[in-house]
Structure formats: C-alpha cells, structure tokens
Amino acid sequence: MSQLTSRRGLLFGTAAVSAGALLAGCTSNEPSDKDDDKAASNQPAADDQPGKQVTIGFAGPQADHGWLNAINENAKSRAEKYQDVTLEITEGSNDTAQQIGQIETLINKKVDVLVVLPADGKALTQVGLKAMRAGIPVVNLDRIFNSPQAYRCWIGGDNYGMGLNAGHYIGEKLKDKPNARVIELAGLDNLELTKQRTQGFDDALKNYPNIKKVARQAADFTVESGQAKMAQLLQAQSKFDALWNHDDDQGVGALRAIEQAGRDDFLMVGGAGALSAFQAIKQDNGVLKATVLYPPTMAASAIDLARALGQGKGVGGLAEFEIPASLTLYSAVVDKTNVDQYMPTGFK
C-alpha cells in the first residue's frame, strides 16, 4: 500500500495523522477517583509507558507489491516501538488456503490479538470467525471480511473516497475546458476495491458536465502491466486531457510508456502515495501532478489498536472506554502545494 529514506519513517509521517492521532495514547485501566471525571476526560496513558504484555499475531498477503511491503514494515516497526508488544508475523501468502493455515497456526499459539490483512476478505471470513470464537479479538486490516462477527475492529482505506477525490481534483483542473476528455488506468477488476475506486471517480465527474471519460483499462498493480496497458491507452487515444491511475506502483510503468510515446499533453493523478510519485510531483517536470493517498500507515495504527485491545484500553482523545468498531482513513490529495509535508510517508 521512507522518512530518513526508509520505510520505517512511514510510522511517523503526517499521513498517519488522520487516523493515527487518535491512536497516539490509550486510556488507562486504572479507575479514577470519580467515575464522572473519568467519563468526561478519559485520560490517555503515554505510549512509552509499558503496560500488560500483549502478543499480536500479524498475517497479511505476500509482499509482492510496494504498498504491501510497506504494510509489513509499518507493522513490524510499530510493534518494535512498544516494550510490552511481541509480534508473531507470518510469511504472508496470496494463496487463500495457505494464509488460512498461517492464521490457524497463530490461533493455536493462543496469541492475544490478531491483525489480519486478508488476501481475499470473503474467503478468509471463516478463519476470522474461528479466531473470534476462540476468544482472540481480530483487527481486520483493509480488505474487509464478509461478516462483522469475524472482527472486533476494522481499519482501512477509503477506496470510494480515493476515486472521488481524484475525480474532483481532475474536475477542478479541467472545469473551464470545453469537451474535456479523461482516461482511467484501473487496478485489478476482480477486486471490489477497484470497482469502488472507479465508482467514486465516475460519481465525482458527474459534477463536471464538460468532462467525459473516454477510455478505461484495468492493469494488475505491477510496473509491467502498468506500462503495457498505458501503451495501449496511448495508442487508442491520440488526444485526452487527464489520466487517473489507481496505483503508484503500476504508475511507474505507466510513466515509462508515456515517456516512450513522447506525450506530455495531459495531466496525471496517481494513487496510494509512493515515494517515487512524491518525488516526481515535487520536481514538477512531467505529467504527474498529484496522487491520492491510500496510506500503509494503517498497519501501524492496526498495531496500536491491537495493543489497546490486548490491554483492555480505549483510544486517547475519545470519551468511550473501548476502541471503535471501525476506522476509515482519509484519502488526501498530494500535489506540489503540500508534497513536502507528505514526503516522509512515501513508500518504496
């Protein structure tokens, strides 16, 4: 889904602020002198003060993609921050049966809490239910299980909002251009998240009657597919004004195809928040003008939530004594006006 030129810095970047600021401290289990005062203030405990020891099991897909690798790095680095957290992390797999087996191993180890980013949310729902029935609370990361009974808390990105914000950004840039034409380089069409990103994009463009989406190609989140599919779009579309690319990893390939074709007559908006995209936006000497965040810092926040669950705590800054049932991150648009702020959160 690179502060000090490493992915460890993702933990502390401003992309985490939208969801992570509330996770900065967990409420103490110690009773206050007055119940009314406790309900009103919900005083947080400092993160660096060790509490009850918590073993967190972490299971995600195979890190064969820059964003997924950043997810793993975020989880590992966040866990290392806490003296009271032990992280049991699986190798990860895109094979459903294998990932289920890895999660079952964590269940058998009787970890205190599970954090799971399923390769396929629907297919892994049953193992989430199994963990919950075994008394192990589950933090479902990003790709959601089919049943809310399969997790205690869900945290993830806003795929519809990602498309919506990309569409509004492009719409505002082209709102005064008659008969503007846009194209879309999507991700994997068999994933629900891809459909949501496209729906958000299409809904945003409805606000701009002068803009028409004239072409769409689905790639598969790799550099190679991004280059191949973008080359096809460029061949088919001799003239357009904007491109929205769902993913900055496949965007590396898309930019190669654009450079090879010698095209610079349109603006491009990316997705996710890769360091390479931020650097290109800052240089401002090519077609890439913005990217819409899908921050992998969500994995660090998932560790915070899992720790709070394991210690029976809530979230600092909220009145409730329990963590929320769900947290949706915001898909901020990063362009040259704010790229310096987000640069530390870029993943490789």
Side-chain angles (χ1 to χ4, degrees), residues 86-154:
T86 299
L87 189 67
E88 292 270 357
I89 191 164
T90 68
E91 290 184 9
S93 177
N94 292 326
D95 178 81
T96 299
Q98 190 172 6
Q99 193 180 21
I100 289 172
Q102 292 171 347
I103 296 168
E104 287 179 336
T105 297
L106 293 171
I107 293 172
N108 292 335
K109 286 184 176 181
K110 295 182 168 56
V111 297
D112 296 307
V113 189
L114 269 171
V115 175
V116 179
L117 198 167
D120 183 320
K122 179 180 179 181
L124 269 78
T125 298
Q126 287 302 315
V127 78
L129 286 166
K130 182 176 181 179
M132 291 287 287
R133 287 166 182 160
I136 301 173
V138 176
V139 177
N140 182 194
L141 182 56
D142 198 42
R143 299 174 190 172
I144 195 165
F145 293 136
N146 269 17
S147 169
Q149 296 184 72
Y151 58 89
R152 166 58 182 82
C153 175
W154 174 86

Side-chain angles (χ1 to χ4, degrees), residues 10-29:
L10 285 163
L11 300 173
F12 309 106
T14 49
V17 171
S18 58
L22 292 178
L23 304 173
C26 299
T27 59
S28 172
N29 288 324

Side-chain angles (χ1 to χ4, degrees), residues 159-193:
N159 287 291
Y160 178 85
M162 193 180 181
L164 196 71
N165 288 349
H168 278 301
Y169 181 86
I170 288 172
E172 288 301 301
K173 294 296 182 184
L174 300 179
K175 65 183 179 181
D176 297 324
K177 185 177 179 63
N179 303 314
R181 296 159 59 90
V182 302
I183 64 174
E184 181 181 7
L185 185 64
L188 280 162
D189 264 343
N190 65 338
L191 294 178
E192 184 63 27
L193 64 89

Side-chain angles (χ1 to χ4, degrees), residues 200-214:
F201 187 63
D202 290 346
D203 285 352
L205 292 183
K206 290 175 184 176
N207 295 284
Y208 305 94
N210 63 307
I211 300 174
K212 181 180 180 183
K213 187 168 79 172
V214 296

Side-chain angles (χ1 to χ4, degrees), residues 221-239:
F221 294 136
T222 68
V223 173
E224 294 75 19
S225 65
Q227 185 169 353
K229 297 297 185 179
M230 190 68 229
Q232 292 176 21
L233 281 169
L234 290 167
Q235 268 194 329
Q237 302 295 325
S238 59
K239 178 67 177 173

Side-chain angles (χ1 to χ4, degrees), residues 7-8 10-11 58 67-80 89 296 299-300:
R7 286 187 291 269
R8 293 177 66 87
L10 285 163
L11 300 173
F58 182 89
W67 186 85
L68 286 172
N69 190 59
I71 282 283
N72 288 346
E73 291 299 317
N74 266 260
K76 291 175 186 175
S77 297
R78 195 65 156 192
E80 289 171 1
I89 191 164

